Amino acid sequence: MKVSGWTTRVLETPDVNPLIVGVDQPGTREFVTLELDTDDGLQGIGITFFGAALTPALRTAVDNLCELTVGEDPLQVEAVTDKLWLAAGGAGPEGIFTLAISAIDIALWDIKGKALDQTVCSLLGGHRDRVVTYASGALGRPMTIEYLAEAGPRLVEQGFRQMKTQMGAEPTARREVARIRTLREAIGPDIDLMCDINQLWDVNQAITIGSRVEEYQLFWLEDVVVRDDYQGLARVADALTTPIAAGEYVYGIRPFRHMLEQRSIDIVMVDLLRVGGFTQFRKVAGMAEAFNLPVVSHLIPEMQVHSIAAIPNGLTVEYMPWTLRLYEETPAIEDGQIVVPDKPGLGLAFDRDALERYQVG
């Protein structure tokens, strides 16, 4: 079996999160989709994105790299991706190159699963067939405290046992703390509550405000300082009892080595597109396991369910439903857990009507 061709598209979808109720959600999100074909008739799918003005350039990068895969054996995933790294790795690891190669890597694993009649989860290790998932994007900074008090219990009613909010936009520490206190009082003590800072604090803010919210038993504090301040992250992690999660903003596998060696984090968060796809994800997961640390996912839950469920140190999947409208069917949510599809490969198929509706390039 050989790779025989490919199709890419640029899609622009409404930026609407169905977990948000009663709040206007303007704007759009852009995605690059990939369908990678073989001469045996099997097709693998992939996706990548970072949005905005450079999305056409990202599509071009995917096209250029796909051209290099034609004639290659798609089952030899490491060999194919290594060829792409040798051909264009000087353009990375950060930025468009890694985002482009990730779409191809994902599609190759999808083909391999279909060829071997196995799920990608099974190929990656197959530790279990479902994993806890948490509601994300519904409790953000733009939301008022009054909204948070209503939205948190609503997510619990929908079956979520974990959810994530944000801090980092309030003018005072007191008001930041008030948001966490309000949510904790609304959802009770038995629901896991995470909080994302998105790199908006410095080290002193992280320690000061982080200390003040420790009584509310956060499941983790995420990306509290700028992504490559490994020493600063280590200072925060050492000062707080609340676990520190980070990793979604870094590219490739090497930054994770630095974070782990410097004890910068307690929870390893991996973005499948920035790390380089499933091939590189499993290397990070192995490093994390060697340091006795859990791994969590960032975005695209329909694919990350495979990666997190596959490994023994997979902790939870972020349920951010940005991309779910693009598929005919998406993984089921049962009792607060996301279920690995029982179909070969990713168990996903692009919805042709959605592709036609949202295609802009």
Side-chain angles (χ1 to χ4, degrees):
M1 180 167 56
K2 305 295 182 184
V3 176
S4 60
W6 76 93
T7 302
T8 58
R9 294 178 173 86
V10 175
L11 307 183
E12 185 177 82
T13 70
D15 185 13
V16 175
N17 185 336
L19 300 179
I20 298 174
V21 176
V23 176
D24 187 34
Q25 300 182 64
T28 59
R29 291 193 179 275
E30 298 79 27
F31 304 96
V32 176
T33 61
L34 169 64
E35 296 159 277
L36 194 64
D37 300 315
T38 69
D39 57 7
D40 275 12
L42 292 179
Q43 183 185 82
I45 66 170
I47 193 168
T48 188
F49 57 90
F50 56 26
L54 291 180
T55 297
L58 177 57
R59 180 193 185 181
T60 298
V62 176
D63 285 333
N64 290 342
L65 292 177
C66 279
E67 188 173 359
L68 298 175
T69 70
V70 173
E72 299 292 336
D73 182 350
L75 303 187
Q76 306 303 314
V77 181
E78 190 87 51
V80 176
T81 56
D82 188 55
K83 176 182 179 180
L84 303 184
W85 279 96
L86 291 174
E94 297 200 356
I96 286 178
F97 170 74
T98 298
L99 295 171
I101 203 174
S102 294
I104 297 170
D105 182 90
I106 290 167
L108 290 171
W109 280 96
D110 191 25
I111 291 171
K112 188 168 186 174
K114 291 172 179 175
L116 301 178
D117 197 29
Q118 297 287 320
T119 66
V120 170
C121 175
S122 179
L123 295 178
L124 294 173
H127 187 69
R128 61 201 132 166
D129 66 358
R130 64 194 62 212
V131 66
V132 177
T133 188
Y134 69 90
S136 188
L139 307 170
R141 294 182 194 91
M143 308 307 182
T144 66
I145 283 185
E146 293 75 18
Y147 180 89
L148 297 180
E150 296 177 356
R154 183 164 54 242
L155 293 173
V156 175
E157 291 174 2
Q158 293 177 29
F160 289 102
R161 307 297 295 173
Q162 298 181 324
M163 60 189 67
K164 187 162 72 178
T165 186
Q166 294 175 319
M167 288 191 286
E170 296 292 351
T172 67
R174 179 185 60 81
R175 289 177 58 175
E176 295 277 36
V177 174
R179 297 177 70 85
I180 302 302
R181 180 176 62 250
T182 298
L183 259 175
R184 176 53 75 199
E185 291 174 350
I187 63 178
D190 298 326
I191 301 299
D192 294 331
L193 179 62
M194 302 85 155
C195 184
D196 195 352
I197 313 303
N198 296 108
Q199 309 180 95
L200 293 173
W201 287 344
D202 60 32
V203 171
N204 292 328
Q205 282 178 298
I207 294 173
T208 300
I209 302 175
S211 297
R212 292 178 62 175
V213 298
E214 286 199 322
E215 65 179 290
Y216 303 113
Q217 298 294 304
L218 291 176
F219 198 68
W220 73 59
L221 271 172
E222 179 180 333
D223 291 312
V224 291
V225 299
V226 68
R227 60 174 180 163
D228 58 356
D229 185 3
Y230 307 131
Q231 294 87 353
L233 275 170
R235 285 178 56 196
V236 177
D238 188 55
L240 302 179
T241 58
T242 301
I244 299 301
E248 71 174 76
Y249 288 105
V250 301
Y251 285 77
I253 64 174
R254 288 177 178 81
F256 290 97
R257 174 172 65 85
H258 296 304
M259 284 189 283
L260 292 168
E261 288 178 341
Q262 297 188 41
R263 302 300 196 274
S264 300
I265 52 177
D266 305 296
I267 296 171
V268 180
M269 178 170 284
V270 185
D271 183 292
L272 195 62
L273 304 181
R274 291 184 178 128
V275 78
F278 291 117
T279 301
Q280 305 304 320
F281 170 90
R282 58 182 185 163
K283 298 173 185 178
V284 175
M287 282 193 283
E289 186 179 9
F291 280 82
N292 298 308
L293 294 181
V295 176
V296 299
S297 69
H298 181 240
L299 302 182
I300 51 175
E302 70 278 10
M303 296 179 179
Q304 289 276 36
V305 61
H306 290 273
S307 54
I308 299 299
I311 58 176
N313 54 331
L315 183 60
T316 185
V317 169
E318 180 178 34
Y319 191 79
M320 179 72 87
W322 289 349
T323 46
L324 300 186
R325 70 179 71 240
L326 303 181
Y327 305 98
E328 293 178 355
E329 185 179 4
T330 55
I333 305 293
E334 298 177 358
D335 298 323
Q337 296 183 310
I338 185 168
V339 181
V340 177
D342 60 359
K343 300 175 183 177
L346 293 170
L348 298 170
F350 285 131
D351 183 322
R352 311 315 296 185
D353 290 338
L355 294 184
E356 182 177 345
R357 184 181 313 122
Y358 299 124
Q359 184 169 351
V360 294

